[in-house]
Amino acid sequence: SSPSSPSLPSFPPAATIVTAPKPRPLPGVTPPTSPEPIDQLEQTVRLDVTPNSNAPINANEAIALQQELENLIGRVESAHLAASVDAANVADLPSINGEATQVASTRPAAVISSKDQVLAQARIVAKNLPQLIAQKNYALARQQWLVAKANLWKQFPLNRRLAQAEIRAVWLDRGTIVRAGSEKGLAQVFDRLAESGINTVFFETVNASYPIYPSKVAPQQNPLISGWDPLAAGVKLAHERGIELHAWVWVFAAGNQRHNQIININPNYPGPVLAAHPDWANYDNLGNQIPVGQTKPFFDPANPQLRQYLLKLYEEIVTRYDVDGLQLDYIRYPFQDPSAGRVYGYGKAARAQFQQLTGVDPINISPNQTDLWQKWTEFRTQQVDSFVDRVSQELRQKRADLILSVAVFPLPELERIQKLQQHWEVWARKGDIDLIVPMTYAQDTSRFQRLAQPWIASNKLGSTLLVPGIRLLSLPTIGAFDQLQLVRDLPVSGYALFAAENLNNELQKIFSNTQGKVDTATEPIPQRQPFKTAAVRYTALQREWQLVLQNDRSRISELNEQAQVVQSALNQLANSPSASNLLAAKATLTRFQSQFRVWTRQQAIDNPYQVKVWENRLITIERLLRYGERRVLLHSEK
C-alpha cells in the first residue's frame, strides 16, 4: 500500500470561495492570434505543391515528390489488396497448393481497367519527374504530380470493408457532449461512432478543472452540464455498443480562457481549483500564470497538495465509474522557448524544493549557466515523470484492468524536454502507461508520416503501444482516409481521431463501409486482447500472401508451411495465454521473419512497398505479443 499521504486539502464552502463573478456578457474579447504550438509543429515538415508555380524545385524536394507519389501508389494497391481479401474471406480462398482463382478479377472489367490505368499513369509521372525537374520544367512537374495524386485518391476502395483488427479511437470532446444535452442525445453520438467502427472513445471528463460529472472531490461540475451525468451515460452507452470508454482528463492545465468566454465569465479566471488554491499556481519567469501568447494557466506539478488532489480526483473517476481507461492530457509544462527567454515552472513549491536541493532559487538561473540550467530542467521533468508513475501505481491498485494512455507532443526527445518537460519515453519504458498517443496532426499524408515515423521506428518505448493521432479538422475526407491507410501500412496497432465534432456525414459513410459492419464481439480490441488481435491480424496477412503469391508455387509451398506453424502458435497463445505459449509464439514468429525476405525476394523487386507493408505488419504482431506479455501475463501473475 502507498505510504500515508498528506491529508487532502479541503475546498472552502462555496460561499467563501474566491469564485469567478456571475456569468455575464463580455465586451468583445479576442483570443491571442499566435498559432498553437501543435500547429507550428507541422510547419517544420511541409511539402507544399502550389499549382502553376514555376518556382525552382531543389534535389531534396524532387526526391520527396517522387517518393510521395510512389508511396501513394503503394497505399492504393495495399488498400485494394486488403479489400479483396476481406471480400474473399478465408472460407472462399482455395488452398494455396490447389488451383487458386484470382479474387480481384471478379470485379467488373471497367473498374479494373480504370484503376490500372490510373496506377500505370501515376507510375509514369513518378518516373519522369526527375527529368522534368532537370529540364527546369517546374510548373509542368507540379501539375502532373497534382493530377496524378488527385486521380490516385479517387481509386481508394471506399465502398468495401478493408480494416484489420486495430485500435480505432476518437476523442469525444466536451463541446459534442454538451451539445448532446442528455443521455438520449448522447446515444445518437455513440450510434454514429459504433456505425463508424470506432472501438475506443477518449471521453472528455475533466476540462479546465471542471469535471463533466457531479464530483465529491472537485469544487464545481462543468456549468454547461445540468441535470444529468454524461460520464455515467457515456460508460453505459459505450458498453452497450461494444466500445471501450477511457476518461480523458486535463492534468496540469488548470483553466482555459476560451472556456471562460463560452461560459461568459472573466477571461482571466484561472479555473475553480486555482481560484480556491492560488498557491498551487505555476508562473513564467515574468510572474504570469498564463504564458504570453497562450490561453491556459497551469498548476505547479511540484506541489504535493495539488498532486494529492489530482490523484483523489482520478481515483474517484475510476472507482465510481466503470471506465475502461484513463487518458492523461496536458501531462506537461506549457510551451517554452528558453533561447527566447520564455521559461515556465516557477511555482512556490517548485522554487522552494529546488532551492533546498541546490541552494539556488531557480528564478535567478539563466540558460547560459549550463549545469544549473540542466539541473532545473531535470527537476521539472522529474515532477511530471514521478506523477505519471504515481498515477499508474495507485490507480492500478484500485483497478488492475485499467488501461492508461497519454496524449503527447511528437517533438524530438531533447527538444521536448527543453520546451515541455514531457519525457514520455521514460513512462513507456517503465510500463507506467499502455498507450502513447502522439498528436501527429498534419494537413497532408507525407507531413503526417514525417511527424509519426520517428516514434513508430523508436526502440525506446518498451512494450507500450503507439497510436498516432490524426486531426480531422480541415482535412479533406479522402485525405483523412489516406492518413488512415498509411497507419494501416506502418507497424502500429491503430489510430486516434481528433475529434468527434469533426466526424462529418461523408467521413462517417466511408468509415461505416471500410471499417464498420463488424460484430465487435468477434473482432478483438488490441489494447484489451492483444494475443487474440495478433492471431486475427496474422490470418489476414496470410490471406494477402495467398492472393499475391499464388502463381509462384516453388516459394509459396515453403512459406505456407512455415506460416501455418506461426498461425497455430499464435492461435494456441490466444486461446490459452501462458508464458510457455508466448515463448513458442515469439520463437516461431522470429524464425519466420528472418526467412520472410528470402521467400518474397522476387516480390520485393516487383512491389517493394507491399513487401515492406507485410514486414511492418509482422512487426505489429511482434509488438502486440510484447504488450500482451506485460498486460496479460505479468498482470495475471500479480
Side-chain angles (χ1 to χ4, degrees):
S1 74
S2 58
S4 62
S5 41
S7 60
L8 196 65
S10 57
F11 285 91
T16 63
I17 261 187
V18 198
T19 59
K22 286 269 179 291
R24 58 188 170 76
L26 285 175
V29 179
T30 49
T33 51
S34 65
E36 292 276 328
I38 198 80
D39 300 313
Q40 294 167 354
L41 194 60
E42 197 196 354
Q43 301 310 317
T44 58
V45 291
R46 294 182 75 119
L47 173 69
D48 283 334
V49 183
T50 315
N52 306 322
S53 159
N54 207 17
I57 297 172
N58 67 33
N60 286 345
E61 287 167 336
I63 293 166
L65 288 169
Q66 190 176 27
Q67 189 68 59
E68 177 47 28
L69 208 50
E70 285 168 359
N71 286 347
L72 178 52
I73 292 167
R75 290 194 295 275
V76 170
E77 291 189 310
S78 175
H80 274 277
L81 180 57
S84 301
V85 162
D86 205 284
N89 229 321
V90 79
D92 310 336
L93 268 182
S95 133
I96 207 107
N97 301 321
E99 285 306 303
T101 51
Q102 182 70 359
V103 175
S105 67
T106 57
R107 293 201 305 286
V111 174
I112 280 188
S113 70
S114 143
K115 172 181 71 108
D116 290 351
Q117 279 167 359
V118 169
L119 287 166
Q121 189 56 45
R123 282 196 179 91
I124 292 168
V125 172
K127 188 163 170 269
N128 292 343
L129 264 179
Q131 201 182 343
L132 279 177
I133 291 167
Q135 294 162 351
K136 301 193 161 71
N137 221 328
Y138 303 126
L140 185 61
R142 285 185 173 92
Q143 184 201 344
Q144 290 192 359
W145 189 91
L146 287 165
V147 169
K149 178 182 167 181
N151 286 338
L152 284 166
W153 266 12
K154 290 184 192 135
Q155 297 308 314
F156 277 122
L158 302 180
N159 54 352
R160 290 171 293 156
R161 190 177 160 77
L162 49 76
Q164 322 164 58
E166 62 197 356
I167 297 168
R168 293 192 281 272
V170 71
W171 279 282
L172 181 42
D173 51 285
R174 181 211 63 224
T176 301
I177 298 167
V178 167
R179 276 192 298 279
S182 65
E183 183 172 329
K184 192 173 166 212
L186 198 57
Q188 294 174 348
V189 176
F190 274 95
D191 282 341
R192 291 189 64 185
L193 297 178
E195 277 165 31
S196 301
I198 297 296
N199 57 27
T200 305
V201 166
F202 301 135
F203 193 84
E204 193 156 18
T205 302
V206 179
N207 166 308
S209 292
Y210 294 105
I212 203 141
Y213 65 93
S215 168
K216 294 187 170 66
V217 176
Q220 190 186 348
Q221 185 179 5
N222 193 308
L224 298 167
I225 300 290
S226 68
W228 69 301
D229 181 341
L231 185 54
V235 168
K236 172 174 164 272
L237 296 166
H239 291 172
E240 285 169 356
R241 289 158 183 77
I243 294 173
E244 285 208 349
L245 185 138
H246 298 217
W248 155 29
V249 298
W250 292 22
V251 181
F252 295 130
N256 184 0
Q257 288 182 328
R258 288 178 187 159
H259 189 271
N260 294 342
Q261 284 179 261
I262 294 168
I263 58 177
N264 271 340
I265 61 174
N266 182 333
N268 295 320
Y269 178 58
V273 175
L274 272 189
H277 288 277
D279 55 328
W280 294 359
N282 214 338
Y283 298 92
D284 70 7
N285 48 331
L286 305 173
N288 303 308
Q289 280 188 15
I290 299 179
V292 175
Q294 297 184 38
T295 57
K296 298 174 186 85
F298 273 64
F299 292 121
D300 178 2
N303 188 300
Q305 292 169 305
L306 163 81
R307 293 162 77 97
Q308 201 52 33
Y309 163 73
L310 292 175
L311 281 163
K312 202 81 191 144
L313 185 64
Y314 304 157
E315 188 185 310
E316 175 181 61
I317 292 167
V318 306
T319 55
R320 250 179 64 188
Y321 296 90
D322 186 19
V323 296
D324 300 282
L326 184 74
Q327 177 168 87
L328 307 177
D329 191 10
Y330 292 100
I331 179 75
R332 57 176 177 84
Y333 283 70
F335 230 80
Q336 303 135 58
D337 187 353
S339 61
R342 294 206 314 271
V343 194
Y344 198 92
Y346 303 96
K348 199 165 102 186
R351 285 173 68 177
Q353 287 173 35
F354 187 77
Q355 189 153 9
Q356 207 173 358
L357 280 171
T358 61
V360 183
D361 181 341
I363 200 75
N364 299 324
I365 306 172
S366 92
N368 310 332
Q369 295 162 284
T370 319
D371 288 355
L372 267 175
W373 188 261
Q374 182 63 25
K375 281 200 173 93
W376 172 228
T377 303
E378 277 169 13
F379 171 84
R380 288 173 296 157
T381 307
Q382 182 54 38
Q383 303 312 310
V384 183
D385 293 353
S386 63
F387 186 72
V388 173
D389 178 75
R390 276 195 67 185
V391 168
S392 178
Q393 302 296 334
E394 296 191 16
L395 295 188
R396 291 191 206 275
Q397 281 176 8
K398 309 279 178 201
R399 287 273 310 277
D401 59 343
L402 197 71
I403 303 277
L404 278 177
S405 65
V406 287
V408 297
F409 261 88
L411 279 173
E413 189 172 359
L414 296 175
E415 184 187 352
R416 187 175 355 108
I417 291 165
Q418 290 299 325
K419 292 184 174 174
L420 299 164
Q421 293 79 56
Q422 186 181 64
H423 199 185
W424 41 263
E425 290 85 349
V426 169
W427 322 334
R429 273 202 300 278
K430 285 180 58 200
D432 287 340
I433 48 173
D434 302 297
L435 310 177
I436 292 250
V437 190
M439 295 177 278
T440 39
Y441 300 157
Q443 283 298 300
D444 65 50
T445 313
S446 61
R447 284 188 237 184
F448 171 72
Q449 180 161 10
R450 287 206 285 283
L451 285 175
Q453 194 64 49
W455 320 120
I456 291 169
S458 172
N459 54 7
K460 294 182 171 182
L461 304 184
S463 56
T464 302
L465 295 180
L466 186 91
V467 185
I470 294 174
R471 178 161 60 183
L472 297 176
L473 180 71
S474 65
L475 259 192
T477 301
I478 198 72
F481 182 85
D482 191 21
Q483 292 191 16
L484 290 196
Q485 186 56 44
L486 172 63
V487 166
R488 290 178 172 137
D489 289 350
L490 290 171
V492 286
S493 314
Y495 61 80
L497 301 172
F498 189 83
E501 69 177 331
N502 308 117
L503 183 59
N504 60 38
N505 292 340
E506 197 184 0
L507 256 180
Q508 191 192 342
K509 187 173 177 224
I510 289 175
F511 287 163
S512 161
N513 291 339
T514 55
Q515 62 183 35
K517 301 185 175 53
V518 70
D519 179 7
T520 42
T522 59
E523 188 186 66
I525 300 181
Q527 73 266 21
R528 192 59 61 189
Q529 295 173 288
F531 295 149
K532 191 172 174 199
T533 304
V536 168
R537 284 180 71 106
Y538 186 78
T539 305
L541 250 183
Q542 270 195 287
R543 294 182 207 163
E544 292 198 2
W545 300 328
Q546 287 176 274
L547 263 185
V548 172
L549 303 174
Q550 58 199 352
N551 301 325
D552 192 339
R553 292 292 148 73
S554 56
R555 277 171 311 125
I556 200 69
S557 61
E558 192 186 347
L559 182 142
N560 191 46
E561 225 169 275
Q562 289 306 312
Q564 284 306 326
V565 174
V566 179
Q567 185 75 67
S568 64
L570 289 172
N571 291 347
Q572 181 76 29
L573 174 63
N575 296 330
S576 84
S578 70
S580 59
N581 283 344
L582 175 67
L583 212 58
K586 275 181 158 176
T588 55
L589 181 62
T590 304
R591 207 162 40 241
F592 182 81
Q593 283 172 292
S594 66
Q595 285 293 296
F596 188 72
R597 260 285 153 91
V598 180
W599 292 319
T600 53
R601 194 180 293 135
Q602 184 54 46
Q603 188 63 27
I605 296 166
D606 302 340
N607 190 344
Y609 184 91
Q610 191 60 56
V611 172
K612 185 71 188 143
V613 167
W614 288 339
E615 289 174 345
N616 285 343
R617 291 193 187 151
L618 288 169
I619 293 170
T620 302
I621 289 166
E622 188 191 318
R623 289 177 174 178
L624 284 163
L625 297 187
R626 279 219 307 266
Y627 169 79
E629 177 171 23
R630 173 165 68 84
R631 270 302 312 183
V632 180
L633 293 183
L634 299 180
H635 183 81
S636 57
E637 287 164 14
K638 281 186 182 171

